Amino acid sequence: MALKFVNEVELQGKSVIARFDFNVPFKKTRGPSGERVISDPTRIESSLETIKYLLDQGVKTIILMSHLGRPKGKASKDLSLEPVGKYLANSLDTDVILTESCLDLNIKTLLDLNTSRIILLENLRFHPEEEENDFEFARRLASYGDIYLNDAFGAAHRKHASTHAINHYFKNNSVGGFLLKKEIMALEKVTEKPKGPFMAILGGAKVSDKIQIIEKLLPLVERLLIGGAMAYPFLKAQGHSIGKSLCSDEDIKLAEKILGGPQKQKVTLPQDHIVSEQLDGAPEVSDSLDIEDNKIGLDIGERTISLFKNELKKANTIFWNGPMGLFENKSFSKGTFEIASALSESEGFTLIGGGDSVAAVKEAKLESLISHISTGGGASLEFIEKGSLPGIQALKFGITL
Ligand code: AMP
């Protein structure tokens, strides 16, 4: 069964219940009236193409739904979708009515009155049933629309009521949005016959979180470059000293497994480091593979940057996830920004899988030079690992009780 997208169905006069991922980050400081201020609206911006298309096609009403943060099943003023509603209203230059709760009894009346074409349901996760994938909760959400639309790529790896169970109530009336389509197409360029040489570059802090993706990527890639704190368990497993760098015994075991496996020659590790005695200490060059006992490895060194950049120059497809060091601290950010610039200079297909690497590319203002930046960190990693996601499978094949 093929996945149907929003441009393949009749929408005129229909009510569409649409799941987006409006889980945006907020600034630490509040606005003049004490309101929360969105720090990065990318996820809302990415939804606009689908919403505008629905309006242009003459839908009767769009009922928007999303989660925001982790309210753990309880209503919380701080995690209200109100700032999202305001942002949408400004961007679309139309009214957006925010409901008191996604189960508000007035929603049906609001739909009948037809005073606004856009209704935003309050944070789904104010109700524990959302994360419990509850069918009765999903049935109530489903009752608002004739058509179900899912464009929440960043939440598609979760089996939640609004992404999973709800599909049960829309047998032939469920569609994917334009963002979902873009994300799937970009990820399939990496998972299905990537144009070689294909190289992946992984960084960040924990091997255990990314072990499955390493195992999935290794047979597909020509080379796997590992930087950031992820590299230390591998260096340790090879018998090098890593000083006080971030590393757990569990991660060393996982690294030993990979380095003992048939694809071990594809793994490229750092050859030098930027170290310090403390996380906020002065940076020092450590020009060898081994790190002194009292030092912490906090970035890749110059030779490693050159080595990684030379490898990436040969690639026709590049997948990147995870920073090369403690990049939030300027003293240890060079490796990460150099990799961001290597991707921006590549003529191949470049895909960044969410998270901190996206923050680095944005800070360097290089977004427009990357082929695809995924809006979902966890979702893109899981897609590569498994070839699809529960939310996408449910949209494709439906759900039975
Ligand atoms: P992850 O969520 O696994 O991608 O990890 C991202 C985090 O890893 C960022 O906050 C980085 O600062 C951190 N990180 C990357 N390299 C290092 C390092 N060498 N030492 C400490 N933290 C690091």
Side-chain angles (χ1 to χ4, degrees), residues 150 155-159 163-164 167 389-396:
N150 188 349
H157 58 315
R158 312 251 183 242
K159 269 191 179 178
T163 57
H164 197 256
N167 289 278
L389 296 171
I392 297 172
Q393 291 300 94
L395 203 57
K396 217 169 178 174

Side-chain angles (χ1 to χ4, degrees), residues 251-282:
D251 289 348
I252 298 171
K253 282 205 196 94
L254 296 172
E256 277 169 350
K257 190 175 150 213
I258 288 162
L259 292 175
Q263 312 274 344
K264 60 175 183 239
Q265 76 290 351
K266 291 183 177 175
V267 177
T268 302
L269 296 170
Q271 300 196 333
D272 59 348
H273 318 272
I274 303 296
V275 300
S276 185
E277 281 182 23
Q278 275 151 9
L279 293 181
D280 55 358

